[in-house]
Amino acid sequence: MTHATVAGAHRHAPPQGFLRKHVFSLDHKVIGKQYLDLALVAVCTGMILSWLMRFHLAWPETPIPGLAKLSPNGAAGGVITPEYYLSLMTMHGTIMVFFVLTTAPFAGFGNYFLPIQVGAEDMAFPRINMMSFWVTLVAFLVLISAFVVGDGPPLSGWTAYAPLSAVGKDAGPGQGVGQTLWAVSITLFCVAQLLGALNFVTTTLDLRTKGMSLARMPYSTWAWFITSVIGLIAFAVLMPACILLILDRVAGTSFFIPAGLVISDRLQPHAGGSPLLWQHLFWFFGHPEVYIAILPGFGIISHILPVFARKPLLGPRVMIACLVAIAFLSYTVWGHHMFLSGMNPFSATLFSVPTLVITIPATIVTLLWIGTIYGARLRFTTPALFCLGFVSVFVSGGISGFFLAQPSIDTYLHGTYFVVGHFHFVMGVAAMFGIFAATYFWAPKMFGRMMNETLGKWHFWLTFIGVYCVFMPMHYLGLAGNVRRYSAFTDDYLKPLIPLHRFITVAALFTGAAQLIFLFNLIRSRFRGPQAPDNPWEATSLEWSTTSPPPFDNFGGRPPVVERGPNEYGIGSGARGVDYGMQAAAARVSAR
Amino acid sequence: MTTVASPPAQPPGPPTPAAPPVVEQPRPRPAQTGVWIAIAAISMTFAALTSAMVVRGSAAADWRHFRLPPILYLNTALLLASSAVLEAGRRRVAAHLVWVTLGLGLVFVVGQVVAWRQLVAQGLFLATSPSSAFFYVFTALHGLHVLGGLGGLGYVLRRFDAAGPAPVPALGAAALYWHFMDVLWLCVLVLLVLRV
Amino acid sequence: MGKLFAVVVTIITVVSTAIFIAHTWWLPPDISAHGHAIDRQLSETMISSGVLFVLSQLALALFAWRFGDREDGRRVKPFPGGATPMVVFAAVLVGAEILTLTLVGAKVWAGVFQTPPDPNSLQIDVQAEQFAFYFRYPGPDGRFGATHPELINEASENFFGLDPARDTSARDDIVVPTLTIPLNRPIALTLRAKDVNHAFYVPELRIQQDFVPGLTIPLHFTATQTGRYEIVCTQLCGLGHYNMRAYIEVLPQAQFDQWLKDKAAQQ
Ligand code: HEM
Ligand SMILES: [Cu+2]
Ligand SMILES: [Cu+2]
């Protein structure tokens, strides 16, 4: 009973009162749900911003009803100005990367399920855990406030390249207060995620229940664990970088601003700084960040796919080894975002090699999933469909990595929509599919209610076809030389591509509308769905040996004793009946 | 994983009889682990700043060398002394020694602020030169982490006051963190001496 | 449901691949001396990774079709040979692919970015600023005047910050908003930025390079076809980024010489 001694009894009496129970809760389950709710708000915001952008790209002169009221400066008469387009884009990217793709798959689901999957009562440091969420929330509010204070949101992209991001108001509207808010928000976010990752790692190392050796941990736990190790390094670098950026902006230092800049006809009072320093620091964080977004997805898919394949994951040790290899390599490749940045061209070759090497574990992981399906007895539930969809979109996105990883080809494709297509497939869509799979899979556990399968399937099909219609054509645009981060493509060599842009926009609006099905399903089942049994999917890991939803201390005071790994599917006689072995016997009589 | 011999499937039905005996694991100490992990992350932050300083310095014609305020060495001695006291306190589980550490730590922070004021008096502000900028950033960030450590010591002292056994694991973790603050400060000091 | 999934994935794969193969949207014709190497590298990558793409998607589709739960009491089958042979196969296959791509690709890249410009090149200075490019030719004296950021002034069209009053070599410098270059002659650009990052991208020339304030970055190429093409900025530089364009005008040598003479005469 290792953890019972650690977790003093004083900590684990269920709290009383609404505030302590639902708002300032120390319970990792509540905190996990809070993260997920935050991500839901963020993803809705981010998606609406993307609709505005897409609409503007297809019909740059058509006013958008109501927009003029919301943003009299940015969209006078309802038509988005070029600078407001860039602001929308910056906010979209920042919200999606930080507040959706990091908070949902990692902080959200990780918080809820990592302790349960290792058989702990809670995270190692519940108070720090709570703080991590609240700091994230403040970071989000600070970022969003850029819409209403000052001259609007920043416009320098989610990468915030200096000196555009460092010199202040002279560089354009939104580069004043807006950009400062951005930098403060990201600094806070880094702090929050560091606190979170600290908890994840400690909990995994120290609070595993009896019999839960590292080798018996579910793949999702492994992925969250590895992701937090990546996060500990990545956010620890971005945080000081953002602090230096803030100082350049408000205290007159010159970390990133060189001498002799003339902006808005004003010679800037800075000297000696290095714009490339920001790029190096940012991408040293930035590339690992893309794996922070996707590795939990890897873990979730590896966790869920065997459940519905009724078959153990192919090559479990190889899978873990690949995750570790990817995590390690992710720290050696940041320069592939800087091939054309003016750094030494020789280092481009150096960075290109590890980038290409990453494709080996990435390919192996994909093949392991495909091999797992071979000979399976696939149950096509909604979470299973999203797993299959994940594999498909990850392949599509990973393939374009082969192109961008080569400096010679990047010479043509860098800065075009090809890159946009690439990272939306791998990072945007694949990670989102991981989130969807996780939501449909775990909602019964989290809310004690099943989600509606029919709606779920509609959601899957419309989304799956939709994202291909949206993001595959972006590769064609990129090949045709269509540059990214442009608010209009009129009157020039890009004009012939406008019909394709219109197609993408229509597809994006449809795909977005399909998400309303999800939203409706999620909200309705949370309150109205049919009661969920303890183990509706006949899965093996510990979260399924407790009630749905789990009690306050996860296992009703009877910590589970783990007897085997998570991979026991397809065992037994093969006739109808039980074909799986749970990691631990059920803690209590299940409802069915 | 798959290599684990699979026992016959257990239906997730009725409560099972007592589980087979499992070897008792060594008692983990999450507080200690947590501090080690924090140490790794903090080191990374300071490593990033150091490399930024190296990159920025090599490019700079505007790098102004200045003499570090001598009070820094006094502060260093204070911090090292506080660590020694805390180590004694940890071994004897003595609350009053933790109080002494807390006091010395506070004096250290005040001493750092005095060092800043001396620099300001010399006309060296944050934005004067990259050297002074890095000086302030490094000392401020280290100071913040020391304040965090003071918070940790305060927490330990509160646990001493509360009923129940002495907070040995928490004290051990706080001491580990505090010693790391020494090491970190010495690294920062060496860097500043060499570069500024 | 598995069959539906298989059909949808197959359709998606076939349609996307067909559009790539048909070159429905493709690179504009190459007009540079080095571009064919990049294009070949791109095509080879397209073929080898395209094969991987199609095979993986079709395997996914096939297995989803075949291995649905048909309630027939059939036992699950392990993947033939287990993970090891497949892992080795994948590692060797992808390893060989990336090795060839790296070896060939590094040469292509080195040919563009790691070789010194031809000593015979035409030297042109490029200044990028929010939201325009300016090009400077040394004039009849063959020397560029020194630049002084504090003298930069848009109103008097002193885009480079030249000081013709005191600097004789600056007096005959030719500054124009269009990059005019002779056909088949190596061009050596020097890129400088006045304010923030920008980039120089000419799709037809297969060349792209960032401008970084504080750095001078060399870039060289040779145009092999006459015509007028667009130079676009591909590094987010502020509110007018989308409008940051210039033209590159490739002229036969004789016509270029005439143009240069006319310009020099106007100084
Ligand atoms: C299969 C392995 C992968 C390779 C070889 C690869 C390669 C690259 C390269 C070379 C770039 C830079 C392109 C440019 O800016 O010109 C890039 C951009 C990007 N990649 Fe990947 N990538 C891979 C997987 C991933 C994954 C798994 C994710 C996220 C989950 C991801 C997310 C991104 C993002 C967000 C960017 C764009 C950043 C920006 O410029 O705004 N990539 N990738
Ligand atoms: Cu990357
Ligand atoms: Cu631009």
Side-chain angles (χ1 to χ4, degrees):
Chain A
M1 217 137 299
T2 49
H3 59 294
T5 42
V6 172
H10 63 280
R11 201 174 69 190
H12 279 271
Q16 300 305 320
F18 182 80
L19 273 189
R20 281 246 151 250
K21 239 184 176 142
H22 298 290
V23 183
F24 297 103
S25 171
L26 298 178
D27 182 357
H28 70 101
K29 296 188 288 300
V30 177
I31 296 171
K33 279 192 276 189
Q34 286 172 324
Y35 263 121
L36 290 175
D37 287 336
L38 171 61
L40 193 63
V41 172
V43 78
C44 292
T45 318
M47 201 166 61
I48 292 171
L49 298 181
S50 75
W51 287 345
L52 295 175
M53 286 189 287
R54 272 320 317 177
F55 187 87
H56 179 77
L57 285 176
W59 295 283
E61 269 123 49
T62 314
I64 300 172
L67 192 61
K69 279 225 186 61
L70 285 175
S71 174
N73 292 332
V79 177
I80 293 171
T81 60
E83 60 271 27
Y84 200 62
Y85 176 87
L86 293 176
S87 297
L88 296 176
M89 182 199 80
T90 303
M91 294 299 268
H92 165 78
T94 309
I95 289 174
M96 289 300 197
V97 172
F98 292 96
F99 293 96
V100 179
L101 296 183
T102 310
T103 53
F106 173 60
F109 287 111
N111 238 310
Y112 199 107
F113 287 105
L114 186 141
I116 305 187
Q117 286 190 342
V118 300
E121 288 178 4
D122 203 330
M123 284 284 186
F125 312 111
R127 226 166 282 275
I128 291 183
N129 202 20
M130 176 179 82
M131 205 147 76
S132 152
F133 168 74
W134 286 101
V135 176
T136 309
L137 179 65
V138 172
F140 182 67
L141 295 178
V142 169
L143 183 72
I144 291 294
S145 69
F147 273 114
V148 288
V149 300
D151 296 325
L155 46 70
S156 62
W158 81 281
T159 51
Y161 272 18
L164 182 63
S165 61
V167 290
K169 261 225 287 290
D170 286 346
Q175 293 310 92
V177 185
Q179 184 76 53
T180 306
L181 289 172
W182 183 93
V184 170
S185 163
I186 299 306
T187 311
L188 290 173
F189 187 82
C190 290
V191 173
Q193 294 313 307
L194 285 170
L195 296 176
L198 177 76
N199 246 322
F200 278 48
V201 175
T202 313
T203 306
T204 315
L205 289 180
D206 279 357
L207 296 196
R208 297 196 310 279
T209 188
K210 254 190 210 161
M212 179 60 84
S213 60
L214 285 178
R216 284 180 179 173
M217 289 195 319
Y219 312 106
S220 39
T221 303
W222 265 105
W224 288 317
F225 175 63
I226 295 170
T227 305
S228 14
V229 175
I230 303 182
L232 278 173
I233 301 173
F235 290 114
V237 170
L238 184 62
M239 184 194 61
C242 281
I243 292 176
L244 298 188
L245 182 65
I246 296 173
L247 292 179
D248 268 7
R249 300 180 47 78
V250 304
T253 56
S254 313
F255 295 107
F256 306 122
I257 310 175
L261 299 194
V262 183
I263 298 180
S264 302
D265 270 337
R266 227 162 60 80
L267 186 64
Q268 298 294 316
H270 291 274
S274 161
L276 287 190
L277 174 59
W278 168 262
Q279 296 187 24
H280 280 294
L281 289 171
F282 183 85
W283 287 116
F284 185 85
F285 147 83
H287 189 82
E289 164 63 24
V290 306
Y291 285 101
I292 292 175
I294 199 66
L295 278 190
F298 282 18
I300 287 166
I301 300 309
S302 307
H303 184 69
I304 300 181
L305 202 52
V307 176
F308 296 108
R310 306 314 297 165
K311 211 192 134 197
L313 185 76
L314 180 62
R317 275 165 206 280
V318 183
M319 172 64 72
I320 309 266
C322 285
L323 296 189
V324 173
I326 288 174
F328 175 77
L329 285 170
S330 74
Y331 276 102
T332 63
V333 301
W334 78 90
H336 68 214
H337 299 270
M338 299 173 61
F339 289 151
L340 307 170
S341 67
M343 73 173 177
N344 181 343
F346 177 63
S347 42
T349 308
L350 291 187
F351 280 118
S352 140
V353 173
T355 306
L356 282 165
V357 170
I358 284 200
T359 58
I360 295 179
T363 309
I364 293 176
V365 165
T366 316
L367 293 181
L368 291 179
W369 291 323
I370 297 181
T372 301
I373 308 171
Y374 176 90
R377 297 173 50 154
L378 273 168
R379 297 178 182 169
F380 288 99
T381 59
T382 307
L385 285 172
F386 273 104
C387 288
L388 297 177
F390 179 100
V391 177
S392 173
V393 292
F394 186 74
V395 168
S396 303
I399 288 294
S400 46
F402 275 105
F403 293 78
L404 299 172
Q406 301 174 61
S408 51
I409 300 179
D410 196 50
T411 303
Y412 182 80
L413 292 176
H414 181 74
T416 70
Y417 264 79
F418 195 89
V419 176
V420 182
H422 162 71
F423 71 73
H424 275 96
F425 262 136
V426 273
M427 186 174 191
V429 181
M432 280 314 291
F433 272 42
I435 296 174
F436 285 138
T439 309
Y440 285 106
F441 182 68
W442 277 317
K445 183 56 63 180
M446 294 195 294
F447 307 119
R449 290 174 187 276
M450 304 298 292
M451 286 180 73
N452 184 302
E453 274 288 310
T454 312
L455 289 177
K457 295 211 165 99
W458 275 104
H459 173 222
F460 170 76
W461 289 113
L462 294 176
T463 309
F464 186 61
I465 296 168
V467 292
Y468 267 107
C469 292
V470 175
F471 296 113
M472 195 49 100
M474 291 193 183
H475 295 85
Y476 309 138
L477 289 173
L479 284 173
N482 194 328
V483 292
R484 63 188 276 217
R485 293 176 161 178
Y486 269 38
S487 58
F489 305 113
T490 42
D491 298 338
D492 54 24
Y493 77 105
L494 298 172
K495 201 165 187 174
L497 298 174
I498 288 184
L500 193 50
H501 275 290
R502 296 225 163 108
F503 174 80
I504 293 177
T505 295
V506 172
L509 293 174
F510 269 110
T511 315
Q515 305 317 303
L516 295 178
I517 303 177
F518 171 72
L519 204 62
F520 173 76
N521 193 355
L522 185 71
I523 294 173
R524 201 191 62 157
S525 6
R526 202 161 167 169
F527 302 104
R528 288 272 169 77
Q531 214 77 40
D534 288 354
N535 189 3
W537 313 118
E538 304 191 297
T540 59
S541 46
L542 293 187
E543 71 266 32
W544 305 107
S545 353
T546 184
T547 52
S548 302
F552 173 71
D553 60 1
N554 294 344
F555 297 99
R558 292 199 279 155
V561 177
V562 173
E563 291 152 23
R564 51 185 85 85
N567 221 0
E568 303 291 316
Y569 292 102
I571 56 179
S573 67
R576 305 293 307 159
V578 175
D579 64 344
Y580 64 107
M582 311 243 337
Q583 288 200 272
R588 52 185 61 206
V589 183
S590 77
R592 66 205 194 109
Chain B
M1 300 205 200
T2 39
T3 50
V4 179
S6 48
Q10 287 198 344
T16 41
V22 177
V23 187
E24 192 66 44
Q25 291 158 340
R27 203 169 125 242
R29 293 182 300 172
Q32 198 89 1
T33 314
V35 170
W36 276 113
I37 294 161
I39 287 175
I42 296 170
S43 306
M44 200 60 218
T45 297
F46 279 82
L49 277 176
T50 307
S51 64
M53 181 164 171
V54 171
V55 171
R56 177 63 176 82
S58 67
D62 56 342
W63 190 277
R64 219 168 104 185
H65 292 275
F66 61 88
R67 220 167 66 82
L68 295 181
I71 189 175
L72 289 184
Y73 302 106
L74 181 66
N75 294 346
T76 309
L78 276 173
L79 192 63
L80 290 176
S82 75
S83 236
V85 173
L86 187 58
E87 185 56 24
R90 184 185 72 83
R91 293 197 180 160
R92 280 183 243 154
V93 194
H96 66 278
L97 290 179
V98 180
W99 277 110
V100 175
T101 312
L102 195 74
L104 287 171
L106 271 176
V107 179
F108 170 82
V109 174
V110 174
Q112 295 291 79
V113 175
V114 173
W116 284 5
R117 306 202 48 145
Q118 289 179 351
L119 277 192
V120 168
Q122 289 175 44
L124 283 163
F125 300 95
L126 184 62
T128 309
S129 152
S131 54
S132 60
F134 274 108
F135 178 89
Y136 285 108
V137 170
F138 268 113
T139 47
L141 216 55
H142 175 265
L144 277 178
H145 284 94
V146 169
L147 286 179
L150 290 176
L153 292 178
Y155 172 76
V156 170
L157 284 170
R158 233 183 55 204
R159 293 274 303 274
F160 262 113
D161 290 344
V168 178
L171 179 57
L176 176 62
Y177 181 84
W178 197 255
H179 298 330
F180 171 64
M181 284 298 112
D182 285 18
V183 176
L184 184 63
W185 172 246
L186 289 177
C187 292
V188 168
L189 189 66
V190 169
L191 184 71
L192 293 176
V193 168
L194 289 180
R195 289 242 148 210
V196 166
Chain C
M1 196 62 70
K3 299 209 161 89
L4 180 57
F5 183 83
V7 170
V8 170
V9 168
T10 308
I11 292 176
I12 288 173
T13 309
V14 169
V15 172
S16 339
T17 319
I19 295 178
F20 278 113
I21 293 177
H23 289 197
T24 315
W25 288 280
W26 199 249
L27 291 72
D30 162 41
I31 61 154
S32 71
H34 68 268
H36 66 277
I38 291 182
D39 288 8
R40 179 144 33 84
Q41 183 79 1
L42 182 80
S43 301
E44 274 160 21
T45 309
M46 191 64 88
I47 292 168
S48 53
S49 58
V51 170
L52 275 184
F53 170 74
V54 173
L55 287 184
S56 333
Q57 298 283 14
L58 292 188
L60 181 67
L62 180 68
F63 293 173
W65 177 293
R66 286 266 286 113
F67 298 114
D69 187 6
R70 275 189 299 268
E71 316 246 326
D72 52 4
R74 166 178 63 84
R75 294 197 60 165
V76 294
K77 277 187 292 202
F79 190 77
T84 319
M86 187 175 84
V87 167
V88 172
F89 176 72
V92 169
L93 187 76
V94 180
E97 177 174 349
I98 63 181
L99 193 71
T100 24
L101 289 181
T102 308
L103 290 180
V104 184
K107 237 171 56 214
V108 177
W109 168 258
V112 186
F113 285 92
Q114 280 170 277
T115 46
D118 188 309
N120 225 352
S121 309
L122 175 66
Q123 303 283 337
I124 303 172
D125 226 15
V126 189
Q127 172 97 328
E129 61 172 64
Q130 288 181 329
F131 303 99
F133 299 94
Y134 293 101
F135 305 93
R136 178 164 72 130
Y137 300 72
D141 69 352
R143 286 190 303 135
F144 286 110
T147 55
H148 309 273
E150 65 282 4
L151 295 182
I152 290 180
N153 189 316
E154 299 287 307
S156 64
E157 302 200 348
N158 191 352
F159 302 113
F160 283 79
L162 300 180
D163 186 7
R166 261 173 287 169
D167 180 358
T168 48
S169 54
R171 270 174 219 166
D172 64 350
D173 285 5
I174 299 165
V175 174
V176 287
T178 295
L179 177 59
T180 307
I181 59 168
L183 185 67
N184 289 331
R185 163 120 187 247
I187 308 295
L189 303 181
T190 304
L191 311 183
R192 285 198 190 82
K194 168 186 151 189
D195 36 38
V196 297
N197 292 299
H198 302 277
F200 180 94
Y201 179 43
V202 183
E204 291 85 352
L205 269 179
R206 307 291 190 263
I207 201 109
Q208 185 168 190
Q209 173 65 55
D210 280 8
F211 294 78
V212 182
L215 298 183
T216 43
I217 298 172
L219 185 69
H220 61 89
F221 56 82
T222 306
T224 56
Q225 257 173 62
T226 55
R228 193 176 158 87
Y229 310 96
E230 274 178 84
I231 304 170
V232 286
C233 173
T234 47
Q235 191 59 265
L236 179 54
C237 57
L239 55 108
H241 173 52
Y242 78 106
N243 223 356
M244 182 159 167
R245 307 293 175 83
Y247 284 97
I248 177 169
E249 181 99 54
V250 186
L251 300 176
Q253 185 74 42
Q255 243 171 302
F256 173 77
D257 291 341
Q258 187 58 43
W259 174 85
L260 198 62
K261 222 186 274 155
D262 293 350
K263 282 287 165 192
Q266 289 167 19
Q267 287 302 5

